[in-house]
Amino acid sequence: MAGARVDIVVANDSVQKAVGKYILVVLFKLGFDPRVKALPEGVQYPYVQNSRNRVEAGLSQWSSDYPSPAGLLDGLLGCDAFVPESDASPNISGFCDRAVVEPLIDEAEALGVTKPQAAQRLWQQVDRKVTDLAVWLPLVNPLQVDLVSARVGNVSWSPQSHLMPSLLWVE
């Protein structure tokens, strides 16, 4: 793989181009021949989602709509989430492991309601497997901080919605 050309497809905005340059430097130091390819913002995401384009590296953002490993691991890496040659395939990597990972996902989802701790252990195995296979590279995990004054009461936080302003009151 040393010397292999790697196109890093980013949106043509200052943040994605800066991240693309960072990845370029890292890949260069690892011995690759990286290039940043900036596409218009409305074009880049559908472009990297489409397996027809054979993207080696592309930036994507995702946040969970429900606090469950299934939304991330099955929703973005499950075999059913890969839609070949579609501009709207959630499984951008095209990853599908029907032999090992998919059976673990299926079992974790089946146990999720009746045996959540057993399901959690299976989700951890899925996470380790896809991490070891380097299916994707998480770059950031944003942290949200909410500041409130001492006069604010009933501060409520949810893992899905974060700070819930409708429940706050002020003295």
Coordinates of all heavy atoms in Angstrom, one line a residue, residues 5-11 16-28 32-39 44 47-48 54-60 139:
R5 N -2.1 6.0 -4.2 CA -2.8 7.3 -4.2 C -4.1 7.2 -3.4 O -4.8 6.2 -3.6 CB -3.1 7.7 -5.7 CG -3.8 9.0 -5.7 CD -3.9 9.6 -7.1 NE -4.8 10.8 -7.0 CZ -4.9 11.6 -8.0 NH1 -4.2 11.4 -9.1 NH2 -5.7 12.6 -7.9
V6 N -4.4 8.2 -2.6 CA -5.6 8.2 -1.8 C -6.3 9.6 -2.0 O -5.7 10.6 -1.7 CB -5.4 8.0 -0.3 CG1 -6.7 8.1 0.5 CG2 -4.7 6.7 -0.1
D7 N -7.4 9.6 -2.7 CA -8.2 10.9 -2.8 C -9.1 11.0 -1.6 O -9.8 10.1 -1.2 CB -9.1 10.9 -4.0 CG -8.3 11.0 -5.3 OD1 -7.2 11.6 -5.3 OD2 -8.7 10.4 -6.3
I8 N -9.0 12.2 -0.9 CA -9.7 12.5 0.3 C -10.8 13.5 -0.2 O -10.5 14.6 -0.6 CB -8.9 13.2 1.3 CG1 -7.7 12.3 1.7 CG2 -9.7 13.5 2.6 CD1 -6.5 13.0 2.3
V9 N -12.1 13.0 -0.3 CA -13.2 13.9 -0.8 C -13.8 14.6 0.3 O -14.3 14.1 1.3 CB -14.2 13.0 -1.5 CG1 -15.3 13.8 -2.1 CG2 -13.5 12.1 -2.6
V10 N -13.7 16.0 0.2 CA -14.3 16.9 1.2 C -15.2 17.9 0.5 O -15.2 18.0 -0.7 CB -13.2 17.6 2.0 CG1 -12.2 16.7 2.6 CG2 -12.4 18.6 1.0
A11 N -16.1 18.5 1.4 CA -16.9 19.6 0.9 C -16.1 20.8 0.8 O -15.1 21.0 1.5 CB -18.1 19.8 1.8
Q16 N -14.1 21.6 6.3 CA -13.8 20.3 5.7 C -12.5 20.3 5.0 O -11.8 19.3 5.0 CB -15.0 19.8 4.8 CG -16.2 19.4 5.6 CD -16.8 18.1 5.0 OE1 -16.4 17.6 4.0 NE2 -17.9 17.7 5.6
K17 N -12.2 21.4 4.3 CA -10.9 21.5 3.6 C -9.7 21.4 4.6 O -8.7 20.8 4.4 CB -10.8 22.7 2.8 CG -11.7 22.6 1.5 CD -11.6 23.6 0.5 CE -11.2 25.0 0.7 NZ -11.3 25.9 -0.4
A18 N -9.9 22.1 5.8 CA -8.9 22.0 6.8 C -8.7 20.6 7.4 O -7.6 20.1 7.6 CB -9.2 23.0 8.0
V19 N -9.8 19.9 7.6 CA -9.7 18.5 8.1 C -9.1 17.6 7.0 O -8.3 16.8 7.3 CB -11.1 18.0 8.5 CG1 -11.1 16.5 8.8 CG2 -11.7 18.8 9.7
G20 N -9.5 17.9 5.7 CA -8.9 17.1 4.6 C -7.4 17.3 4.6 O -6.6 16.4 4.3
K21 N -6.9 18.5 4.8 CA -5.5 18.8 4.8 C -4.8 18.1 5.9 O -3.7 17.5 5.8 CB -5.2 20.3 4.9 CG -5.5 21.0 3.6 CD -5.2 22.5 3.7 CE -5.7 23.2 2.4 NZ -5.5 24.7 2.5
Y22 N -5.4 18.0 7.1 CA -4.9 17.3 8.2 C -4.7 15.8 7.9 O -3.7 15.2 8.1 CB -5.7 17.5 9.5 CG -5.4 16.5 10.6 CD1 -4.2 16.7 11.4 CD2 -6.2 15.4 10.8 CE1 -3.9 15.8 12.4 CE2 -5.8 14.5 11.8 CZ -4.7 14.7 12.6 OH -4.3 13.8 13.6
I23 N -5.8 15.2 7.3 CA -5.7 13.8 6.9 C -4.6 13.6 5.9 O -3.9 12.6 5.9 CB -7.1 13.3 6.4 CG1 -8.1 13.4 7.6 CG2 -7.0 11.9 5.8 CD1 -9.6 13.2 7.1
L24 N -4.5 14.5 4.9 CA -3.5 14.5 3.9 C -2.1 14.3 4.5 O -1.3 13.5 4.1 CB -3.6 15.7 3.0 CG -2.5 15.8 1.9 CD1 -3.2 16.2 0.6 CD2 -1.4 16.7 2.3
V25 N -1.8 15.2 5.5 CA -0.5 15.2 6.2 C -0.3 13.8 6.9 O 0.8 13.2 6.7 CB -0.4 16.3 7.2 CG1 0.9 16.2 8.1 CG2 -0.3 17.7 6.5
V26 N -1.3 13.3 7.6 CA -1.1 12.0 8.3 C -0.9 10.9 7.3 O 0.0 10.1 7.4 CB -2.4 11.7 9.1 CG1 -2.4 10.3 9.7 CG2 -2.5 12.7 10.3
L27 N -1.7 10.9 6.2 CA -1.5 9.8 5.2 C -0.1 9.9 4.5 O 0.5 8.9 4.2 CB -2.6 9.9 4.1 CG -4.0 9.4 4.6 CD1 -5.1 9.6 3.6 CD2 -4.0 8.0 5.1
F28 N 0.3 11.2 4.2 CA 1.6 11.4 3.6 C 2.7 10.8 4.5 O 3.6 10.1 4.1 CB 1.9 12.9 3.4 CG 3.2 13.1 2.7 CD1 3.4 12.9 1.4 CD2 4.3 13.6 3.5 CE1 4.6 13.1 0.8 CE2 5.5 13.8 2.9 CZ 5.7 13.6 1.6
F32 N 1.6 7.2 2.0 CA 0.7 7.3 0.9 C 0.9 8.5 0.0 O 1.7 9.4 0.4 CB -0.8 7.3 1.4 CG -1.2 6.0 2.1 CD1 -1.0 5.8 3.5 CD2 -1.7 4.9 1.4 CE1 -1.4 4.6 4.1 CE2 -2.0 3.7 2.0 CZ -1.9 3.6 3.3
D33 N 0.2 8.5 -1.1 CA 0.2 9.7 -2.0 C -1.2 10.3 -2.0 O -2.0 10.1 -2.9 CB 0.6 9.2 -3.4 CG 0.6 10.4 -4.4 OD1 0.7 11.6 -4.0 OD2 0.5 10.1 -5.6
P34 N -1.5 11.1 -0.9 CA -2.8 11.6 -0.8 C -3.1 12.9 -1.5 O -2.2 13.7 -1.8 CB -2.9 11.9 0.7 CG -1.5 12.2 1.1 CD -0.6 11.4 0.2
R35 N -4.3 13.1 -1.9 CA -4.8 14.4 -2.6 C -6.1 14.7 -2.0 O -7.0 13.9 -1.7 CB -5.0 14.1 -4.1 CG -3.9 13.4 -4.8 CD -2.7 14.3 -5.2 NE -1.6 13.5 -5.6 CZ -1.3 13.2 -6.8 NH1 -2.1 13.4 -7.8 NH2 -0.2 12.5 -7.1
V36 N -6.3 16.0 -1.8 CA -7.6 16.5 -1.3 C -8.5 16.9 -2.5 O -8.0 17.6 -3.4 CB -7.5 17.7 -0.3 CG1 -8.9 18.3 0.0 CG2 -6.8 17.3 0.9
K37 N -9.7 16.4 -2.6 CA -10.6 16.7 -3.7 C -11.8 17.4 -3.1 O -12.6 16.7 -2.4 CB -11.0 15.4 -4.4 CG -11.9 15.5 -5.5 CD -12.2 14.2 -6.2 CE -13.1 14.3 -7.4 NZ -13.4 13.0 -8.0
A38 N -11.9 18.7 -3.3 CA -13.0 19.5 -2.7 C -14.2 19.5 -3.8 O -14.0 20.0 -4.9 CB -12.6 20.9 -2.3
L39 N -15.4 19.1 -3.3 CA -16.6 19.2 -4.2 C -17.5 20.2 -3.6 O -17.5 20.5 -2.3 CB -17.2 17.8 -4.2 CG -16.4 16.7 -4.9 CD1 -17.2 15.4 -4.8 CD2 -16.1 17.0 -6.3
Q44 N -20.8 16.8 -2.4 CA -19.9 16.0 -1.7 C -20.5 14.8 -1.0 O -20.1 13.7 -1.2 CB -19.0 16.8 -0.7 CG -17.9 16.1 -0.1 CD -18.2 15.4 1.3 OE1 -19.3 15.7 1.8 NE2 -17.3 14.6 1.8
Y47 N -22.0 12.2 -3.2 CA -20.9 11.6 -4.0 C -20.2 10.5 -3.1 O -19.9 9.4 -3.7 CB -19.9 12.7 -4.4 CG -18.7 12.2 -5.2 CD1 -18.9 12.1 -6.6 CD2 -17.5 11.8 -4.6 CE1 -17.8 11.7 -7.4 CE2 -16.5 11.4 -5.4 CZ -16.6 11.3 -6.8 OH -15.6 10.8 -7.6
V48 N -19.8 10.8 -1.9 CA -19.1 9.8 -1.1 C -20.1 8.6 -0.7 O -19.6 7.5 -0.4 CB -18.5 10.4 0.2 CG1 -17.4 11.4 -0.2 CG2 -19.5 10.9 1.2
R54 N -16.3 5.0 -5.9 CA -15.1 4.3 -5.4 C -14.2 5.3 -4.6 O -13.1 5.5 -4.9 CB -14.3 3.6 -6.4 CG -15.1 2.5 -7.2 CD -14.2 1.7 -8.0 NE -15.0 0.7 -8.8 CZ -15.5 -0.4 -8.4 NH1 -15.4 -0.7 -7.1 NH2 -16.2 -1.2 -9.2
V55 N -14.8 5.9 -3.6 CA -14.1 6.9 -2.8 C -13.2 6.2 -1.8 O -13.7 5.3 -1.0 CB -15.1 7.8 -2.1 CG1 -14.5 8.7 -1.1 CG2 -16.0 8.6 -3.1
E56 N -11.9 6.6 -1.8 CA -11.0 6.0 -0.8 C -11.2 6.5 0.6 O -11.1 5.8 1.6 CB -9.5 6.2 -1.3 CG -9.1 5.4 -2.5 CD -9.1 6.3 -3.7 OE1 -9.3 7.5 -3.6 OE2 -9.0 5.7 -4.8
A57 N -11.4 7.9 0.6 CA -11.6 8.5 1.9 C -12.5 9.7 1.7 O -12.3 10.5 0.8 CB -10.2 9.0 2.5
G58 N -13.5 9.8 2.5 CA -14.4 11.0 2.5 C -14.9 11.3 3.8 O -15.0 10.5 4.7
L59 N -15.2 12.6 4.0 CA -15.7 13.0 5.3 C -17.2 12.9 5.4 O -17.9 13.2 4.4 CB -15.3 14.5 5.6 CG -13.8 14.7 5.6 CD1 -13.5 16.2 6.0 CD2 -13.1 13.8 6.7
S60 N -17.7 12.6 6.5 CA -19.1 12.5 6.8 C -19.4 12.8 8.2 O -18.6 12.6 9.1 CB -19.6 11.0 6.4 OG -21.0 10.9 6.8
L139 N -13.1 10.8 13.7 CA -12.2 11.9 13.9 C -12.5 12.8 15.2 O -11.6 13.2 15.9 CB -12.1 12.9 12.7 CG -11.6 12.3 11.4 CD1 -11.7 13.3 10.3 CD2 -10.1 12.0 11.6

